[in-house]
Amino acid sequence: MNSAIYPGSYDPITFGHIDIIKRAASIFDHLTIAVLNNKSKHYLFSVDERVKMIENTLKDLDNISVESYDGLLIDYAKAKNAHVIIRGLRAVTDFEYELQMSQTNAKLSDGSVETIFLNTDLRYAYLSSSTVREVASFGGDISKFVTPDVAKLVYEKYKLK
Ligand code: ADP
């Protein structure tokens, strides 16, 4: 079976992530969305909340699963016997960091894990979870960035609307 992992923070999941997930899920037999729980990082949503939010958002896709991980991505990939990591690219600013990460992961895995990049859909090129959090924190409209269910959860966190 051809499977891949799509790792990220998803704090929260946006239309940009959803687009990449749908496209990757149409290429691979199975896609695991791997939600990072970096213990030294402060997230708006707990890892369990992020996992649940993604499961609810993508409940109509039957060849995906959502899991959490901490530590090194490459250790998680090895434990799952996964050989492909999916990453989304929005702009040149993503590129340098992503290139370095993919080369590091290739080195750490002795070349057994490949990173595949999917370009952002132009509609979502500007979109990041941090933008969503910032706009929402000031009570702005995030309906063009996330699903209505996710928007509700984000506003609840900021005790707005
Ligand atoms: P962010 O917090 O920057 O939105 P995440 O860690 O949640 O990032 O993102 C996981 C992956 O999804 C990364 O590879 C990131 O580049 C990609 N991604 C995030 N937003 C978009 C978007 N709008 N279009 C394409 N890829 C995206």
Side-chain angles (χ1 to χ4, degrees), residues 6 10 13-14 16-27 31 33 54 58 61 63-64 86 118:
Y6 179 34
Y10 307 102
I13 184 167
T14 69
H17 296 128
I18 295 171
D19 176 62
I20 298 285
I21 290 167
K22 287 187 173 162
R23 286 158 58 199
S26 75
I27 298 169
L31 182 73
I33 297 147
I54 300 169
L58 295 161
L61 276 187
N63 65 334
I64 63 148
I86 299 290
L118 293 183

Coordinates of all heavy atoms in Angstrom, one line a residue, residues 6 10 13-14 16-27 31 33 54 58 61 63-64 86 118:
Y6 N 1.4 13.4 6.6 CA 1.4 14.9 6.4 C 1.5 15.5 7.8 O 0.5 15.5 8.5 CB 0.1 15.3 5.7 CG -0.1 16.8 5.5 CD1 1.0 17.6 5.3 CD2 -1.4 17.3 5.5 CE1 0.8 19.0 5.1 CE2 -1.5 18.7 5.3 CZ -0.5 19.5 5.1 OH -0.6 20.9 4.9
Y10 N -1.3 22.3 12.8 CA -2.8 22.4 12.6 C -3.5 23.1 13.8 O -4.4 22.6 14.4 CB -3.4 21.0 12.4 CG -2.7 20.2 11.3 CD1 -1.8 19.2 11.6 CD2 -3.0 20.5 10.0 CE1 -1.2 18.5 10.6 CE2 -2.3 19.8 9.0 CZ -1.4 18.8 9.3 OH -0.8 18.1 8.3
I13 N -6.6 23.8 11.9 CA -6.7 23.4 10.5 C -7.4 24.4 9.7 O -8.4 25.0 10.1 CB -7.3 22.0 10.4 CG1 -7.2 21.5 8.9 CG2 -8.8 22.0 10.9 CD1 -7.6 20.1 8.7
T14 N -6.7 24.8 8.5 CA -7.3 25.8 7.7 C -7.6 25.2 6.3 O -7.3 24.1 6.0 CB -6.2 26.9 7.4 OG1 -5.2 26.3 6.6 CG2 -5.6 27.4 8.7
G16 N -6.2 25.9 3.7 CA -4.9 25.5 3.0 C -4.5 24.1 3.3 O -4.1 23.3 2.4
H17 N -4.6 23.7 4.6 CA -4.3 22.3 5.0 C -5.3 21.4 4.3 O -4.9 20.3 3.8 CB -4.5 22.1 6.5 CG -3.5 22.9 7.3 ND1 -3.9 23.7 8.4 CD2 -2.2 23.0 7.3 CE1 -2.9 24.2 9.0 NE2 -1.8 23.9 8.3
I18 N -6.6 21.7 4.3 CA -7.6 20.8 3.8 C -7.3 20.6 2.3 O -7.5 19.4 1.8 CB -9.0 21.4 4.0 CG1 -9.3 21.5 5.5 CG2 -10.1 20.6 3.2 CD1 -10.6 22.3 5.8
D19 N -6.9 21.6 1.6 CA -6.6 21.5 0.1 C -5.5 20.5 -0.1 O -5.6 19.6 -0.9 CB -6.3 22.8 -0.4 CG -5.9 22.8 -1.9 OD1 -6.7 22.3 -2.7 OD2 -4.7 23.1 -2.2
I20 N -4.4 20.6 0.7 CA -3.3 19.7 0.6 C -3.7 18.3 0.9 O -3.3 17.3 0.3 CB -2.1 20.2 1.5 CG1 -1.6 21.6 1.1 CG2 -1.0 19.2 1.5 CD1 -0.8 21.7 -0.2
I21 N -4.5 18.2 2.0 CA -4.9 16.8 2.4 C -5.7 16.1 1.3 O -5.5 15.0 1.0 CB -5.7 16.9 3.8 CG1 -4.8 17.3 4.9 CG2 -6.4 15.6 4.1 CD1 -5.5 17.7 6.2
K22 N -6.7 16.9 0.8 CA -7.5 16.2 -0.3 C -6.7 15.8 -1.5 O -6.9 14.8 -2.0 CB -8.6 17.2 -0.7 CG -9.7 17.3 0.3 CD -10.9 18.1 -0.2 CE -12.0 18.1 0.9 NZ -12.9 19.2 0.7
R23 N -5.7 16.7 -1.8 CA -4.9 16.4 -3.0 C -4.0 15.2 -2.7 O -3.8 14.3 -3.5 CB -4.1 17.6 -3.5 CG -5.0 18.6 -4.2 CD -4.5 20.0 -4.1 NE -3.2 20.1 -4.7 CZ -2.3 21.1 -4.5 NH1 -2.7 22.1 -3.7 NH2 -1.2 21.2 -5.1
A24 N -3.4 15.2 -1.5 CA -2.5 14.1 -1.2 C -3.3 12.8 -1.0 O -2.8 11.7 -1.5 CB -1.7 14.4 0.1
A25 N -4.5 12.9 -0.5 CA -5.3 11.6 -0.3 C -5.7 11.1 -1.7 O -6.1 9.9 -1.7 CB -6.5 12.0 0.6
S26 N -5.7 11.9 -2.7 CA -6.1 11.4 -4.0 C -4.9 10.8 -4.7 O -5.1 10.1 -5.7 CB -6.7 12.5 -4.9 OG -5.7 13.4 -5.3
I27 N -3.7 11.0 -4.2 CA -2.5 10.4 -4.8 C -2.1 9.1 -4.1 O -1.7 8.2 -4.8 CB -1.3 11.4 -4.7 CG1 -1.6 12.7 -5.5 CG2 0.0 10.8 -5.3 CD1 -0.7 13.9 -5.3
L31 N -3.4 8.3 3.8 CA -2.7 9.5 4.3 C -2.9 9.6 5.8 O -4.0 9.6 6.3 CB -3.2 10.8 3.6 CG -2.5 12.1 4.0 CD1 -1.1 12.1 3.4 CD2 -3.3 13.3 3.6
I33 N -2.5 12.0 8.9 CA -2.2 13.4 9.3 C -1.6 13.3 10.7 O -2.2 12.8 11.6 CB -3.5 14.2 9.2 CG1 -4.0 14.3 7.8 CG2 -3.3 15.7 9.7 CD1 -5.5 14.3 7.7
I54 N -9.6 17.9 13.3 CA -9.2 17.5 11.9 C -10.1 16.3 11.6 O -10.6 16.2 10.4 CB -7.7 17.1 11.9 CG1 -6.9 18.3 12.2 CG2 -7.4 16.5 10.5 CD1 -5.4 17.9 12.4
L58 N -12.7 16.3 8.3 CA -12.4 15.5 7.2 C -13.1 14.1 7.3 O -12.7 13.2 6.7 CB -10.9 15.3 7.0 CG -10.2 16.6 6.7 CD1 -8.7 16.5 7.0 CD2 -10.4 17.0 5.2
L61 N -13.6 11.9 4.2 CA -12.5 11.2 3.5 C -12.2 9.9 4.1 O -11.9 9.8 5.3 CB -11.2 12.1 3.5 CG -11.0 13.2 2.5 CD1 -9.6 13.8 2.7 CD2 -11.2 12.7 1.1
N63 N -9.8 7.5 3.3 CA -8.5 7.0 3.3 C -7.5 7.8 4.1 O -6.3 7.8 3.8 CB -8.0 6.7 1.9 CG -7.8 8.0 1.1 OD1 -8.5 9.0 1.4 ND2 -6.9 8.0 0.2
I64 N -8.0 8.5 5.1 CA -7.1 9.2 6.0 C -7.2 8.8 7.4 O -8.3 8.3 7.8 CB -7.3 10.8 5.9 CG1 -8.7 11.1 6.4 CG2 -7.1 11.3 4.5 CD1 -8.7 12.5 7.1
I86 N 4.7 14.4 3.3 CA 4.1 15.4 2.5 C 4.2 16.8 3.2 O 4.0 16.8 4.4 CB 2.5 15.2 2.2 CG1 2.3 13.9 1.5 CG2 1.9 16.4 1.5 CD1 2.7 13.8 0.1
L118 N 3.8 19.7 -2.1 CA 2.6 20.1 -3.0 C 2.5 21.6 -2.9 O 2.5 22.1 -1.8 CB 1.3 19.4 -2.5 CG 1.2 17.9 -2.6 CD1 -0.1 17.4 -2.1 CD2 1.5 17.4 -4.0

